[in-house]
mmCIF file with all atom_site columns, all heavy atoms in Angstrom:
data_model
loop_
_atom_site.group_PDB
_atom_site.id
_atom_site.type_symbol
_atom_site.label_atom_id
_atom_site.label_alt_id
_atom_site.label_comp_id
_atom_site.label_asym_id
_atom_site.label_entity_id
_atom_site.label_seq_id
_atom_site.pdbx_PDB_ins_code
_atom_site.Cartn_x
_atom_site.Cartn_y
_atom_site.Cartn_z
_atom_site.occupancy
_atom_site.B_iso_or_equiv
_atom_site.pdbx_formal_charge
_atom_site.auth_seq_id
_atom_site.auth_comp_id
_atom_site.auth_asym_id
_atom_site.auth_atom_id
_atom_site.pdbx_PDB_model_num
ATOM 1   N N   . TRP A 1 1  ? 40.563 -99.524  92.868  1.00 98.00 ? 1  TRP A N   1
ATOM 2   C CA  . TRP A 1 1  ? 40.097 -98.842  91.662  1.00 98.00 ? 1  TRP A CA  1
ATOM 3   C C   . TRP A 1 1  ? 39.084 -97.778  92.074  1.00 98.00 ? 1  TRP A C   1
ATOM 4   O O   . TRP A 1 1  ? 38.191 -98.029  92.900  1.00 98.00 ? 1  TRP A O   1
ATOM 5   C CB  . TRP A 1 1  ? 39.441 -99.814  90.694  1.00 98.00 ? 1  TRP A CB  1
ATOM 6   C CG  . TRP A 1 1  ? 40.387 -100.697 89.954  1.00 98.00 ? 1  TRP A CG  1
ATOM 7   C CD1 . TRP A 1 1  ? 40.756 -101.965 90.277  1.00 98.00 ? 1  TRP A CD1 1
ATOM 8   C CD2 . TRP A 1 1  ? 41.098 -100.379 88.751  1.00 98.00 ? 1  TRP A CD2 1
ATOM 9   N NE1 . TRP A 1 1  ? 41.646 -102.457 89.360  1.00 98.00 ? 1  TRP A NE1 1
ATOM 10  C CE2 . TRP A 1 1  ? 41.874 -101.501 88.406  1.00 98.00 ? 1  TRP A CE2 1
ATOM 11  C CE3 . TRP A 1 1  ? 41.154 -99.257  87.924  1.00 98.00 ? 1  TRP A CE3 1
ATOM 12  C CZ2 . TRP A 1 1  ? 42.699 -101.534 87.273  1.00 98.00 ? 1  TRP A CZ2 1
ATOM 13  C CZ3 . TRP A 1 1  ? 41.980 -99.292  86.805  1.00 98.00 ? 1  TRP A CZ3 1
ATOM 14  C CH2 . TRP A 1 1  ? 42.738 -100.424 86.489  1.00 98.00 ? 1  TRP A CH2 1
ATOM 15  N N   . PHE A 1 2  ? 39.245 -96.621  91.480  1.00 98.00 ? 2  PHE A N   1
ATOM 16  C CA  . PHE A 1 2  ? 38.334 -95.505  91.702  1.00 98.00 ? 2  PHE A CA  1
ATOM 17  C C   . PHE A 1 2  ? 37.909 -94.965  90.339  1.00 98.00 ? 2  PHE A C   1
ATOM 18  O O   . PHE A 1 2  ? 38.528 -95.282  89.319  1.00 98.00 ? 2  PHE A O   1
ATOM 19  C CB  . PHE A 1 2  ? 39.021 -94.394  92.506  1.00 98.00 ? 2  PHE A CB  1
ATOM 20  C CG  . PHE A 1 2  ? 39.340 -94.780  93.913  1.00 98.00 ? 2  PHE A CG  1
ATOM 21  C CD1 . PHE A 1 2  ? 40.440 -95.582  94.202  1.00 98.00 ? 2  PHE A CD1 1
ATOM 22  C CD2 . PHE A 1 2  ? 38.549 -94.346  94.958  1.00 98.00 ? 2  PHE A CD2 1
ATOM 23  C CE1 . PHE A 1 2  ? 40.733 -95.957  95.505  1.00 98.00 ? 2  PHE A CE1 1
ATOM 24  C CE2 . PHE A 1 2  ? 38.841 -94.707  96.272  1.00 98.00 ? 2  PHE A CE2 1
ATOM 25  C CZ  . PHE A 1 2  ? 39.935 -95.512  96.537  1.00 98.00 ? 2  PHE A CZ  1
ATOM 26  N N   . ARG A 1 3  ? 36.860 -94.154  90.339  1.00 98.00 ? 3  ARG A N   1
ATOM 27  C CA  . ARG A 1 3  ? 36.454 -93.536  89.079  1.00 98.00 ? 3  ARG A CA  1
ATOM 28  C C   . ARG A 1 3  ? 35.901 -92.152  89.344  1.00 98.00 ? 3  ARG A C   1
ATOM 29  O O   . ARG A 1 3  ? 35.432 -91.856  90.433  1.00 98.00 ? 3  ARG A O   1
ATOM 30  C CB  . ARG A 1 3  ? 35.409 -94.394  88.368  1.00 98.00 ? 3  ARG A CB  1
ATOM 31  C CG  . ARG A 1 3  ? 34.074 -94.532  89.101  1.00 98.00 ? 3  ARG A CG  1
ATOM 32  C CD  . ARG A 1 3  ? 33.181 -95.525  88.368  1.00 98.00 ? 3  ARG A CD  1
ATOM 33  N NE  . ARG A 1 3  ? 31.891 -95.679  89.039  1.00 98.00 ? 3  ARG A NE  1
ATOM 34  C CZ  . ARG A 1 3  ? 30.979 -96.581  88.687  1.00 98.00 ? 3  ARG A CZ  1
ATOM 35  N NH1 . ARG A 1 3  ? 31.206 -97.409  87.661  1.00 98.00 ? 3  ARG A NH1 1
ATOM 36  N NH2 . ARG A 1 3  ? 29.839 -96.655  89.350  1.00 98.00 ? 3  ARG A NH2 1
ATOM 37  N N   . ARG A 1 4  ? 36.006 -91.325  88.299  1.00 98.00 ? 4  ARG A N   1
ATOM 38  C CA  . ARG A 1 4  ? 35.455 -89.970  88.372  1.00 98.00 ? 4  ARG A CA  1
ATOM 39  C C   . ARG A 1 4  ? 34.645 -89.733  87.115  1.00 98.00 ? 4  ARG A C   1
ATOM 40  O O   . ARG A 1 4  ? 35.206 -89.682  86.015  1.00 98.00 ? 4  ARG A O   1
ATOM 41  C CB  . ARG A 1 4  ? 36.553 -88.922  88.506  1.00 98.00 ? 4  ARG A CB  1
ATOM 42  C CG  . ARG A 1 4  ? 35.994 -87.523  88.755  1.00 98.00 ? 4  ARG A CG  1
ATOM 43  C CD  . ARG A 1 4  ? 37.060 -86.468  88.576  1.00 98.00 ? 4  ARG A CD  1
ATOM 44  N NE  . ARG A 1 4  ? 38.175 -86.628  89.480  1.00 98.00 ? 4  ARG A NE  1
ATOM 45  C CZ  . ARG A 1 4  ? 38.231 -86.107  90.700  1.00 98.00 ? 4  ARG A CZ  1
ATOM 46  N NH1 . ARG A 1 4  ? 37.219 -85.410  91.167  1.00 98.00 ? 4  ARG A NH1 1
ATOM 47  N NH2 . ARG A 1 4  ? 39.302 -86.284  91.447  1.00 98.00 ? 4  ARG A NH2 1
ATOM 48  N N   . ALA A 1 5  ? 33.344 -89.587  87.303  1.00 97.00 ? 5  ALA A N   1
ATOM 49  C CA  . ALA A 1 5  ? 32.439 -89.274  86.192  1.00 97.00 ? 5  ALA A CA  1
ATOM 50  C C   . ALA A 1 5  ? 32.430 -87.762  85.998  1.00 97.00 ? 5  ALA A C   1
ATOM 51  O O   . ALA A 1 5  ? 32.783 -87.008  86.918  1.00 97.00 ? 5  ALA A O   1
ATOM 52  C CB  . ALA A 1 5  ? 31.041 -89.789  86.510  1.00 97.00 ? 5  ALA A CB  1
ATOM 53  N N   . PRO A 1 6  ? 32.032 -87.310  84.817  1.00 92.00 ? 6  PRO A N   1
ATOM 54  C CA  . PRO A 1 6  ? 31.977 -85.873  84.563  1.00 92.00 ? 6  PRO A CA  1
ATOM 55  C C   . PRO A 1 6  ? 31.152 -85.130  85.609  1.00 92.00 ? 6  PRO A C   1
ATOM 56  O O   . PRO A 1 6  ? 30.041 -85.545  85.939  1.00 92.00 ? 6  PRO A O   1
ATOM 57  C CB  . PRO A 1 6  ? 31.337 -85.782  83.181  1.00 92.00 ? 6  PRO A CB  1
ATOM 58  C CG  . PRO A 1 6  ? 31.669 -87.080  82.531  1.00 92.00 ? 6  PRO A CG  1
ATOM 59  C CD  . PRO A 1 6  ? 31.648 -88.103  83.626  1.00 92.00 ? 6  PRO A CD  1
ATOM 60  N N   . GLU A 1 7  ? 31.734 -84.087  86.154  1.00 94.00 ? 7  GLU A N   1
ATOM 61  C CA  . GLU A 1 7  ? 31.075 -83.212  87.126  1.00 94.00 ? 7  GLU A CA  1
ATOM 62  C C   . GLU A 1 7  ? 30.678 -83.927  88.417  1.00 94.00 ? 7  GLU A C   1
ATOM 63  O O   . GLU A 1 7  ? 29.784 -83.488  89.136  1.00 94.00 ? 7  GLU A O   1
ATOM 64  C CB  . GLU A 1 7  ? 29.852 -82.538  86.494  1.00 94.00 ? 7  GLU A CB  1
ATOM 65  C CG  . GLU A 1 7  ? 30.213 -81.698  85.275  1.00 94.00 ? 7  GLU A CG  1
ATOM 66  C CD  . GLU A 1 7  ? 29.019 -80.999  84.676  1.00 94.00 ? 7  GLU A CD  1
ATOM 67  O OE1 . GLU A 1 7  ? 27.902 -81.176  85.181  1.00 94.00 ? 7  GLU A OE1 1
ATOM 68  O OE2 . GLU A 1 7  ? 29.205 -80.269  83.698  1.00 94.00 ? 7  GLU A OE2 1
ATOM 69  N N   . LYS A 1 8  ? 31.357 -85.028  88.709  1.00 96.00 ? 8  LYS A N   1
ATOM 70  C CA  . LYS A 1 8  ? 31.100 -85.745  89.956  1.00 96.00 ? 8  LYS A CA  1
ATOM 71  C C   . LYS A 1 8  ? 32.411 -85.967  90.708  1.00 96.00 ? 8  LYS A C   1
ATOM 72  O O   . LYS A 1 8  ? 33.491 -85.892  90.131  1.00 96.00 ? 8  LYS A O   1
ATOM 73  C CB  . LYS A 1 8  ? 30.427 -87.090  89.684  1.00 96.00 ? 8  LYS A CB  1
ATOM 74  C CG  . LYS A 1 8  ? 29.015 -86.974  89.153  1.00 96.00 ? 8  LYS A CG  1
ATOM 75  C CD  . LYS A 1 8  ? 28.344 -88.327  89.099  1.00 96.00 ? 8  LYS A CD  1
ATOM 76  C CE  . LYS A 1 8  ? 26.894 -88.214  88.645  1.00 96.00 ? 8  LYS A CE  1
ATOM 77  N NZ  . LYS A 1 8  ? 26.224 -89.545  88.597  1.00 96.00 ? 8  LYS A NZ  1
ATOM 78  N N   . ALA A 1 9  ? 32.282 -86.234  91.976  1.00 97.00 ? 9  ALA A N   1
ATOM 79  C CA  . ALA A 1 9  ? 33.456 -86.505  92.788  1.00 97.00 ? 9  ALA A CA  1
ATOM 80  C C   . ALA A 1 9  ? 34.003 -87.905  92.485  1.00 97.00 ? 9  ALA A C   1
ATOM 81  O O   . ALA A 1 9  ? 33.275 -88.790  92.023  1.00 97.00 ? 9  ALA A O   1
ATOM 82  C CB  . ALA A 1 9  ? 33.108 -86.395  94.270  1.00 97.00 ? 9  ALA A CB  1
ATOM 83  N N   . ARG A 1 10 ? 35.261 -88.083  92.767  1.00 97.00 ? 10 ARG A N   1
ATOM 84  C CA  . ARG A 1 10 ? 35.859 -89.411  92.610  1.00 97.00 ? 10 ARG A CA  1
ATOM 85  C C   . ARG A 1 10 ? 35.189 -90.372  93.571  1.00 97.00 ? 10 ARG A C   1
ATOM 86  O O   . ARG A 1 10 ? 34.941 -90.019  94.732  1.00 97.00 ? 10 ARG A O   1
ATOM 87  C CB  . ARG A 1 10 ? 37.352 -89.322  92.883  1.00 97.00 ? 10 ARG A CB  1
ATOM 88  C CG  . ARG A 1 10 ? 38.102 -90.615  92.656  1.00 97.00 ? 10 ARG A CG  1
ATOM 89  C CD  . ARG A 1 10 ? 39.604 -90.379  92.686  1.00 97.00 ? 10 ARG A CD  1
ATOM 90  N NE  . ARG A 1 10 ? 40.065 -89.837  93.942  1.00 97.00 ? 10 ARG A NE  1
ATOM 91  C CZ  . ARG A 1 10 ? 41.272 -89.328  94.128  1.00 97.00 ? 10 ARG A CZ  1
ATOM 92  N NH1 . ARG A 1 10 ? 42.132 -89.284  93.125  1.00 97.00 ? 10 ARG A NH1 1
ATOM 93  N NH2 . ARG A 1 10 ? 41.623 -88.856  95.311  1.00 97.00 ? 10 ARG A NH2 1
ATOM 94  N N   . GLU A 1 11 ? 34.932 -91.585  93.100  1.00 98.00 ? 11 GLU A N   1
ATOM 95  C CA  . GLU A 1 11 ? 34.274 -92.564  93.954  1.00 98.00 ? 11 GLU A CA  1
ATOM 96  C C   . GLU A 1 11 ? 35.015 -93.901  93.918  1.00 98.00 ? 11 GLU A C   1
ATOM 97  O O   . GLU A 1 11 ? 35.654 -94.258  92.927  1.00 98.00 ? 11 GLU A O   1
ATOM 98  C CB  . GLU A 1 11 ? 32.814 -92.786  93.547  1.00 98.00 ? 11 GLU A CB  1
ATOM 99  C CG  . GLU A 1 11 ? 32.616 -93.438  92.205  1.00 98.00 ? 11 GLU A CG  1
ATOM 100 C CD  . GLU A 1 11 ? 31.175 -93.867  91.960  1.00 98.00 ? 11 GLU A CD  1
ATOM 101 O OE1 . GLU A 1 11 ? 30.382 -93.929  92.926  1.00 98.00 ? 11 GLU A OE1 1
ATOM 102 O OE2 . GLU A 1 11 ? 30.849 -94.161  90.795  1.00 98.00 ? 11 GLU A OE2 1
ATOM 103 N N   . PHE A 1 12 ? 34.902 -94.609  95.023  1.00 98.00 ? 12 PHE A N   1
ATOM 104 C CA  . PHE A 1 12 ? 35.490 -95.931  95.153  1.00 98.00 ? 12 PHE A CA  1
ATOM 105 C C   . PHE A 1 12 ? 34.733 -96.930  94.289  1.00 98.00 ? 12 PHE A C   1
ATOM 106 O O   . PHE A 1 12 ? 33.500 -96.899  94.241  1.00 98.00 ? 12 PHE A O   1
ATOM 107 C CB  . PHE A 1 12 ? 35.421 -96.344  96.625  1.00 98.00 ? 12 PHE A CB  1
ATOM 108 C CG  . PHE A 1 12 ? 35.780 -97.775  96.899  1.00 98.00 ? 12 PHE A CG  1
ATOM 109 C CD1 . PHE A 1 12 ? 37.103 -98.175  96.937  1.00 98.00 ? 12 PHE A CD1 1
ATOM 110 C CD2 . PHE A 1 12 ? 34.786 -98.714  97.120  1.00 98.00 ? 12 PHE A CD2 1
ATOM 111 C CE1 . PHE A 1 12 ? 37.435 -99.488  97.198  1.00 98.00 ? 12 PHE A CE1 1
ATOM 112 C CE2 . PHE A 1 12 ? 35.103 -100.036 97.389  1.00 98.00 ? 12 PHE A CE2 1
ATOM 113 C CZ  . PHE A 1 12 ? 36.435 -100.423 97.423  1.00 98.00 ? 12 PHE A CZ  1
ATOM 114 N N   . VAL A 1 13 ? 35.468 -97.804  93.623  1.00 98.00 ? 13 VAL A N   1
ATOM 115 C CA  . VAL A 1 13 ? 34.871 -98.859  92.822  1.00 98.00 ? 13 VAL A CA  1
ATOM 116 C C   . VAL A 1 13 ? 35.090 -100.218 93.482  1.00 98.00 ? 13 VAL A C   1
ATOM 117 O O   . VAL A 1 13 ? 34.148 -100.976 93.706  1.00 98.00 ? 13 VAL A O   1
ATOM 118 C CB  . VAL A 1 13 ? 35.450 -98.875  91.391  1.00 98.00 ? 13 VAL A CB  1
ATOM 119 C CG1 . VAL A 1 13 ? 34.908 -100.068 90.609  1.00 98.00 ? 13 VAL A CG1 1
ATOM 120 C CG2 . VAL A 1 13 ? 35.139 -97.568  90.678  1.00 98.00 ? 13 VAL A CG2 1
ATOM 121 N N   . GLY A 1 14 ? 36.329 -100.522 93.779  1.00 98.00 ? 14 GLY A N   1
ATOM 122 C CA  . GLY A 1 14 ? 36.634 -101.812 94.383  1.00 98.00 ? 14 GLY A CA  1
ATOM 123 C C   . GLY A 1 14 ? 38.074 -101.856 94.841  1.00 98.00 ? 14 GLY A C   1
ATOM 124 O O   . GLY A 1 14 ? 38.874 -100.985 94.492  1.00 98.00 ? 14 GLY A O   1
ATOM 125 N N   . ALA A 1 15 ? 38.392 -102.872 95.631  1.00 98.00 ? 15 ALA A N   1
ATOM 126 C CA  . ALA A 1 15 ? 39.734 -102.994 96.172  1.00 98.00 ? 15 ALA A CA  1
ATOM 127 C C   . ALA A 1 15 ? 40.111 -104.461 96.315  1.00 98.00 ? 15 ALA A C   1
ATOM 128 O O   . ALA A 1 15 ? 39.249 -105.336 96.385  1.00 98.00 ? 15 ALA A O   1
ATOM 129 C CB  . ALA A 1 15 ? 39.834 -102.302 97.540  1.00 98.00 ? 15 ALA A CB  1
ATOM 130 N N   . ILE A 1 16 ? 41.418 -104.688 96.364  1.00 98.00 ? 16 ILE A N   1
ATOM 131 C CA  . ILE A 1 16 ? 41.923 -106.047 96.519  1.00 98.00 ? 16 ILE A CA  1
ATOM 132 C C   . ILE A 1 16 ? 43.128 -106.009 97.442  1.00 98.00 ? 16 ILE A C   1
ATOM 133 O O   . ILE A 1 16 ? 43.930 -105.068 97.403  1.00 98.00 ? 16 ILE A O   1
ATOM 134 C CB  . ILE A 1 16 ? 42.271 -106.667 95.147  1.00 98.00 ? 16 ILE A CB  1
ATOM 135 C CG1 . ILE A 1 16 ? 42.619 -108.145 95.284  1.00 98.00 ? 16 ILE A CG1 1
ATOM 136 C CG2 . ILE A 1 16 ? 43.378 -105.885 94.442  1.00 98.00 ? 16 ILE A CG2 1
ATOM 137 C CD1 . ILE A 1 16 ? 42.649 -108.889 93.953  1.00 98.00 ? 16 ILE A CD1 1
ATOM 138 N N   . SER A 1 17 ? 43.244 -107.022 98.281  1.00 97.00 ? 17 SER A N   1
ATOM 139 C CA  . SER A 1 17 ? 44.363 -107.098 99.201  1.00 97.00 ? 17 SER A CA  1
ATOM 140 C C   . SER A 1 17 ? 45.650 -107.476 98.461  1.00 97.00 ? 17 SER A C   1
ATOM 141 O O   . SER A 1 17 ? 45.613 -107.915 97.313  1.00 97.00 ? 17 SER A O   1
ATOM 142 C CB  . SER A 1 17 ? 44.073 -108.138 100.288 1.00 97.00 ? 17 SER A CB  1
ATOM 143 O OG  . SER A 1 17 ? 43.888 -109.424 99.702  1.00 97.00 ? 17 SER A OG  1
ATOM 144 N N   . GLY A 1 18 ? 46.763 -107.332 99.144  1.00 94.00 ? 18 GLY A N   1
ATOM 145 C CA  . GLY A 1 18 ? 48.048 -107.645 98.527  1.00 94.00 ? 18 GLY A CA  1
ATOM 146 C C   . GLY A 1 18 ? 48.172 -109.100 98.105  1.00 94.00 ? 18 GLY A C   1
ATOM 147 O O   . GLY A 1 18 ? 48.765 -109.410 97.067  1.00 94.00 ? 18 GLY A O   1
ATOM 148 N N   . SER A 1 19 ? 47.597 -109.981 98.891  1.00 94.00 ? 19 SER A N   1
ATOM 149 C CA  . SER A 1 19 ? 47.643 -111.405 98.563  1.00 94.00 ? 19 SER A CA  1
ATOM 150 C C   . SER A 1 19 ? 46.648 -111.780 97.483  1.00 94.00 ? 19 SER A C   1
ATOM 151 O O   . SER A 1 19 ? 46.757 -112.847 96.873  1.00 94.00 ? 19 SER A O   1
ATOM 152 C CB  . SER A 1 19 ? 47.365 -112.237 99.817  1.00 94.00 ? 19 SER A CB  1
ATOM 153 O OG  . SER A 1 19 ? 46.031 -112.046 100.240 1.00 94.00 ? 19 SER A OG  1
ATOM 154 N N   . GLY A 1 20 ? 45.647 -110.937 97.287  1.00 95.00 ? 20 GLY A N   1
ATOM 155 C CA  . GLY A 1 20 ? 44.572 -111.247 96.341  1.00 95.00 ? 20 GLY A CA  1
ATOM 156 C C   . GLY A 1 20 ? 43.439 -112.044 96.951  1.00 95.00 ? 20 GLY A C   1
ATOM 157 O O   . GLY A 1 20 ? 42.467 -112.361 96.271  1.00 95.00 ? 20 GLY A O   1
ATOM 158 N N   . SER A 1 21 ? 43.537 -112.366 98.238  1.00 95.00 ? 21 SER A N   1
ATOM 159 C CA  . SER A 1 21 ? 42.539 -113.223 98.873  1.00 95.00 ? 21 SER A CA  1
ATOM 160 C C   . SER A 1 21 ? 41.269 -112.484 99.263  1.00 95.00 ? 21 SER A C   1
ATOM 161 O O   . SER A 1 21 ? 40.235 -113.104 99.511  1.00 95.00 ? 21 SER A O   1
ATOM 162 C CB  . SER A 1 21 ? 43.132 -113.878 100.119 1.00 95.00 ? 21 SER A CB  1
ATOM 163 O OG  . SER A 1 21 ? 43.520 -112.894 101.070 1.00 95.00 ? 21 SER A OG  1
ATOM 164 N N   . SER A 1 22 ? 41.354 -111.157 99.347  1.00 96.00 ? 22 SER A N   1
ATOM 165 C CA  . SER A 1 22 ? 40.201 -110.361 99.782  1.00 96.00 ? 22 SER A CA  1
ATOM 166 C C   . SER A 1 22 ? 39.898 -109.294 98.756  1.00 96.00 ? 22 SER A C   1
ATOM 167 O O   . SER A 1 22 ? 40.813 -108.609 98.276  1.00 96.00 ? 22 SER A O   1
ATOM 168 C CB  . SER A 1 22 ? 40.485 -109.693 101.124 1.00 96.00 ? 22 SER A CB  1
ATOM 169 O OG  . SER A 1 22 ? 40.806 -110.651 102.114 1.00 96.00 ? 22 SER A OG  1
ATOM 170 N N   . THR A 1 23 ? 38.610 -109.165 98.448  1.00 98.00 ? 23 THR A N   1
ATOM 171 C CA  . THR A 1 23 ? 38.160 -108.106 97.548  1.00 98.00 ? 23 THR A CA  1
ATOM 172 C C   . THR A 1 23 ? 36.905 -107.462 98.129  1.00 98.00 ? 23 THR A C   1
ATOM 173 O O   . THR A 1 23 ? 36.208 -108.067 98.957  1.00 98.00 ? 23 THR A O   1
ATOM 174 C CB  . THR A 1 23 ? 37.831 -108.634 96.139  1.00 98.00 ? 23 THR A CB  1
ATOM 175 O OG1 . THR A 1 23 ? 36.852 -109.680 96.247  1.00 98.00 ? 23 THR A OG1 1
ATOM 176 C CG2 . THR A 1 23 ? 39.071 -109.159 95.433  1.00 98.00 ? 23 THR A CG2 1
ATOM 177 N N   . TYR A 1 24 ? 36.653 -106.253 97.669  1.00 98.00 ? 24 TYR A N   1
ATOM 178 C CA  . TYR A 1 24 ? 35.473 -105.529 98.136  1.00 98.00 ? 24 TYR A CA  1
ATOM 179 C C   . TYR A 1 24 ? 35.037 -104.581 97.041  1.00 98.00 ? 24 TYR A C   1
ATOM 180 O O   . TYR A 1 24 ? 35.871 -104.000 96.354  1.00 98.00 ? 24 TYR A O   1
ATOM 181 C CB  . TYR A 1 24 ? 35.818 -104.755 99.412  1.00 98.00 ? 24 TYR A CB  1
ATOM 182 C CG  . TYR A 1 24 ? 34.629 -104.044 100.036 1.00 98.00 ? 24 TYR A CG  1
ATOM 183 C CD1 . TYR A 1 24 ? 33.710 -104.750 100.796 1.00 98.00 ? 24 TYR A CD1 1
ATOM 184 C CD2 . TYR A 1 24 ? 34.443 -102.683 99.856  1.00 98.00 ? 24 TYR A CD2 1
ATOM 185 C CE1 . TYR A 1 24 ? 32.620 -104.110 101.351 1.00 98.00 ? 24 TYR A CE1 1
ATOM 186 C CE2 . TYR A 1 24 ? 33.360 -102.036 100.417 1.00 98.00 ? 24 TYR A CE2 1
ATOM 187 C CZ  . TYR A 1 24 ? 32.455 -102.749 101.175 1.00 98.00 ? 24 TYR A CZ  1
ATOM 188 O OH  . TYR A 1 24 ? 31.368 -102.125 101.740 1.00 98.00 ? 24 TYR A OH  1
ATOM 189 N N   . TYR A 1 25 ? 33.709 -104.416 96.893  1.00 98.00 ? 25 TYR A N   1
ATOM 190 C CA  . TYR A 1 25 ? 33.175 -103.595 95.815  1.00 98.00 ? 25 TYR A CA  1
ATOM 191 C C   . TYR A 1 25 ? 32.109 -102.648 96.321  1.00 98.00 ? 25 TYR A C   1
ATOM 192 O O   . TYR A 1 25 ? 31.369 -102.961 97.262  1.00 98.00 ? 25 TYR A O   1
ATOM 193 C CB  . TYR A 1 25 ? 32.551 -104.486 94.733  1.00 98.00 ? 25 TYR A CB  1
ATOM 194 C CG  . TYR A 1 25 ? 33.496 -105.517 94.167  1.00 98.00 ? 25 TYR A CG  1
ATOM 195 C CD1 . TYR A 1 25 ? 33.582 -106.787 94.713  1.00 98.00 ? 25 TYR A CD1 1
ATOM 196 C CD2 . TYR A 1 25 ? 34.316 -105.211 93.079  1.00 98.00 ? 25 TYR A CD2 1
ATOM 197 C CE1 . TYR A 1 25 ? 34.456 -107.734 94.214  1.00 98.00 ? 25 TYR A CE1 1
ATOM 198 C CE2 . TYR A 1 25 ? 35.196 -106.155 92.565  1.00 98.00 ? 25 TYR A CE2 1
ATOM 199 C CZ  . TYR A 1 25 ? 35.254 -107.409 93.139  1.00 98.00 ? 25 TYR A CZ  1
ATOM 200 O OH  . TYR A 1 25 ? 36.124 -108.339 92.636  1.00 98.00 ? 25 TYR A OH  1
ATOM 201 N N   . THR A 1 26 ? 31.990 -101.521 95.656  1.00 98.00 ? 26 THR A N   1
ATOM 202 C CA  . THR A 1 26 ? 30.865 -100.669 95.934  1.00 98.00 ? 26 THR A CA  1
ATOM 203 C C   . THR A 1 26 ? 29.591 -101.337 95.405  1.00 98.00 ? 26 THR A C   1
ATOM 204 O O   . THR A 1 26 ? 29.642 -102.143 94.456  1.00 98.00 ? 26 THR A O   1
ATOM 205 C CB  . THR A 1 26 ? 31.064 -99.289  95.302  1.00 98.00 ? 26 THR A CB  1
ATOM 206 O OG1 . THR A 1 26 ? 30.104 -98.377  95.807  1.00 98.00 ? 26 THR A OG1 1
ATOM 207 C CG2 . THR A 1 26 ? 30.958 -99.343  93.777  1.00 98.00 ? 26 THR A CG2 1
ATOM 208 N N   . ASN A 1 27 ? 28.464 -101.027 96.014  1.00 98.00 ? 27 ASN A N   1
ATOM 209 C CA  . ASN A 1 27 ? 27.226 -101.741 95.692  1.00 98.00 ? 27 ASN A CA  1
ATOM 210 C C   . ASN A 1 27 ? 26.844 -101.650 94.216  1.00 98.00 ? 27 ASN A C   1
ATOM 211 O O   . ASN A 1 27 ? 26.314 -102.609 93.649  1.00 98.00 ? 27 ASN A O   1
ATOM 212 C CB  . ASN A 1 27 ? 26.084 -101.211 96.544  1.00 98.00 ? 27 ASN A CB  1
ATOM 213 C CG  . ASN A 1 27 ? 26.148 -101.692 97.975  1.00 98.00 ? 27 ASN A CG  1
ATOM 214 O OD1 . ASN A 1 27 ? 26.792 -102.696 98.280  1.00 98.00 ? 27 ASN A OD1 1
ATOM 215 N ND2 . ASN A 1 27 ? 25.504 -100.979 98.878  1.00 98.00 ? 27 ASN A ND2 1
#
C-alpha cells in the first residue's frame, strides 16, 4: 500500500508477503 498526499510524493505505507506471514509498515 502506498499513498500520495496533495502536493507530496507518493510514499510507502505498508507491505505484506504473498503468504501473509510477513508485514512491514512505515513508522
Side-chain angles (χ1 to χ4, degrees):
W1 285 96
F2 293 78
R3 65 186 180 187
R4 187 193 300 272
E7 301 182 359
K8 292 188 177 180
R10 184 169 60 193
E11 67 169 345
F12 170 79
V13 175
I16 188 166
S17 61
S19 67
S21 61
S22 302
T23 56
Y24 184 79
Y25 304 91
T26 192
N27 285 339

